[in-house]
Amino acid sequence: RNMREQTERKHVIDFLFPLALLFVLTATSVALVVLASGTYSRQVQDSEDSFVSRTALSYVTEKIHQADEYGAVYAGAFDGQDAIVICQTYSEQTYMTYLYEYDGYLRELFIQDGVDAKASDGRRILASGSFSFEESQEGLFHLYCTNKDGSISDTYVSIKSTS
C-alpha cells in the first residue's frame, strides 16, 4: 500500500504543478496586457494632443505667411477676444480675417471691414485647449497652444514685409 500511496501522490503533483504554472503564466500575461494597454492609451492621447496643437500653430502660421504684406498682419481684438488681424483688399473693398480662440476652438472669421459680427460667428478650425499669441516685436509673433493636459506648444512667426 505504501508504494501505491506514493504513486497516487506523485500523480497529483504531476497534475497540480503544470496547472499552477499555467495559472501563473496566464495571470502574468493578463497583467502585462493590462499595463501595456494603459501605457498605449496614454501615448495615443499625448500624440493626439500634440497633433492638435501643432496643426493649430501650422494653420495660423500659414495664414500669416499667405497675407505677408506690409501692414496687413497685426495683433488686435475682435468682440473682446485677442485676435491676429489680417487686412486685405479685394475689388476695392477691405476685408478682415480674424484668427482667435473662442469657446474652446481656434476660429477664423473672414468679413468685410465695418460689418458687425460676434466672436461666435467665426468658423471653427480646431478644438484646442487654448490658443494665444503675443507680438514680441514688430513683425514677430509668438504663438502658443495649450493642450488638454496643460502642456504648451509654441512657435515664432516672422512677417518678412515689415518695412
Side-chain angles (χ1 to χ4, degrees), residues 129-161:
S130 169
F131 170 77
S132 59
F133 64 93
E134 64 183 9
E135 191 171 12
S136 52
Q137 61 187 44
E138 185 181 349
L140 182 64
F141 286 90
H142 191 181
L143 310 177
Y144 304 90
C145 193
T146 305
N147 295 323
K148 294 175 187 171
D149 68 357
S151 63
I152 297 174
S153 296
D154 70 322
T155 190
Y156 287 91
V157 182
S158 175
I159 299 172
K160 294 184 175 31
S161 59

Side-chain angles (χ1 to χ4, degrees), residues 37-50:
S37 68
T39 301
Y40 177 75
S41 297
R42 282 190 300 278
Q43 287 187 350
V44 167
Q45 186 61 47
D46 290 348
S47 178
E48 287 175 1
D49 286 347
S50 180

Side-chain angles (χ1 to χ4, degrees), residues 6-141:
Q6 281 183 345
T7 305
E8 284 180 18
R9 189 178 291 161
K10 188 176 184 185
H11 287 299
V12 171
I13 290 175
D14 286 345
F15 174 73
L16 288 180
F17 179 73
L19 187 62
L21 187 59
L22 178 65
F23 175 75
V24 168
L25 289 174
T26 303
T28 303
S29 297
V30 168
L32 186 62
V33 168
V34 168
L35 290 173
S37 68
T39 301
Y40 177 75
S41 297
R42 282 190 300 278
Q43 287 187 350
V44 167
Q45 186 61 47
D46 290 348
S47 178
E48 287 175 1
D49 286 347
S50 180
F51 170 78
V52 167
S53 62
R54 283 192 326 265
T55 303
L57 295 176
S58 294
Y59 183 84
V60 174
T61 298
E62 187 59 31
K63 286 300 229 179
I64 290 172
H65 285 162
Q66 286 175 354
D68 194 348
E69 295 178 15
Y70 179 68
V73 181
Y74 55 91
F78 169 70
D79 192 26
Q81 306 297 313
D82 289 335
I84 294 176
V85 182
I86 300 171
C87 181
Q88 295 170 306
T89 302
Y90 301 103
S91 303
E92 299 180 15
Q93 294 288 327
T94 303
Y95 292 89
M96 311 301 275
T97 300
Y98 298 97
L99 298 167
Y100 58 97
E101 190 269 328
Y102 179 77
D103 196 26
Y105 286 88
L106 170 63
R107 294 181 184 240
E108 176 180 359
L109 181 65
F110 178 76
I111 193 167
Q112 187 173 356
D113 191 22
V115 174
D116 287 336
K118 301 181 302 259
S120 60
D121 294 337
R123 183 171 54 106
R124 292 177 176 177
I125 303 301
L126 272 171
S128 67
S130 169
F131 170 77
S132 59
F133 64 93
E134 64 183 9
E135 191 171 12
S136 52
Q137 61 187 44
E138 185 181 349
L140 182 64
F141 286 90

